[in-house]
Amino acid sequence: MLPAVGELRPWADPATVAIGRIDMVPPTVAYPSVDDLRAGARNRFRRNLNGTWDFRLFDAPERVPASAITGPTGGRRWSRLRVPGNWTIQGVDDVPQYTNVQMPFPGPPPRLPERNPTGVYRRAVNVPSNWNGRQVVLHVGGAESVHIVYVNGRFVGYGTDSRLASEYDITPFVHAGANDVAIVVTRWSAHSYVEDQDQWWMAGLHRTVYVEARGAVHLASLVCDAGLRGADTSQPVGTLVASATLGGLTPPGPGWQVRFAVETLRGRRIGRVHTVAVPHRFATPYLFHGHTAVASFEFPGVHPWSAESPTRYRVIAELIDPDGVVVVVHAQLVG
């Protein structure tokens, strides 16, 4: 039986969408500086886990023994599969299915078929010693249908949303050196009923997987709400509300700031720079809304986005520590 969740069977419960998953946010990439961001430099605190994983297929999640998570992976029952990729097109005993308006198995919801192919992915992950003191996060870019994460044999979390990324804080589960990561993917779940459409049904880890060491205090999300006022006039005004929320192992104290700027994709600054202090006073009753810095912009004469002229701008958020040092930079493209 699967450790920790075998008896709970969350894949059969439509009300359980995640266990232990970090709040989902718009995807961004962390850079040490604005110059590195513009150049698309490599993040030295990220380890890409794409490649070949050990793999074993079972007939149902209920039939996965704990030894598949904690034991060795050698032997004829284990194979090697590519990640990202669907096991349904990699020669194992399960194939793609196409359906139009009907479900690929009989209901009613949330009933699941007796044979529910479940794959166990395993691989070693090396954690450098210089990641100590940082928050280590596992990123699962996409898994059809649901997935369960274990690190060094210990249950970490469970996630649904097969076309969206799930992230997990694995800091308490890893140590410097070699670590074992297991991701169990179940092909059918109660959530398959929600995702049903005219499509090919696949199964597996079909998007990028990586681990990343983020600062003890870091920029956890950058949300940009862009709009256009006066679109039917000769001088439209672009509007933007940018919100940067901090996260990490410890809450930020006084002195943390976020510097917001907007530029063209060629690096030409438009509008003025906003430097906003990050709220930190939990003690203010009913008024504290989180460690989120917000900046509002207006851009007269902005070039609107359209299908014929898809002009985009880059919103940059620099996280500045109490000593005035830029510790991380994130960006979003907006129109």
Side-chain angles (χ1 to χ4, degrees), residues 170-242:
I170 61 173
T171 312
F173 303 92
V174 296
H175 52 258
N179 297 264
D180 182 83
V181 173
I183 304 178
V184 181
V185 180
T186 298
R187 178 165 190 177
W188 309 117
S189 71
H191 307 87
S192 299
Y193 289 95
V194 180
E195 297 187 335
D196 180 42
Q197 59 182 310
D198 179 6
Q199 65 178 17
W200 279 99
W201 292 91
M202 296 289 184
L205 294 172
H206 59 86
R207 287 182 177 160
T208 291
V209 180
Y210 62 80
V211 290
E212 184 175 76
R214 300 168 183 173
V217 176
H218 62 262
L219 203 158
S221 75
L222 175 59
V223 178
C224 299
D225 185 4
L228 189 67
R229 190 170 66 241
D232 55 347
T233 69
S234 60
Q235 288 293 319
V237 177
T239 63
L240 172 68
V241 178

Side-chain angles (χ1 to χ4, degrees), residues 291-317:
H291 304 291
T292 301
V294 181
S296 298
F297 298 81
E298 288 195 354
F299 306 105
V302 73
H303 293 288
W305 186 97
S306 69
E308 294 76 22
S309 180
T311 304
R312 295 183 298 170
Y313 297 90
R314 182 185 292 117
V315 182
I316 297 174

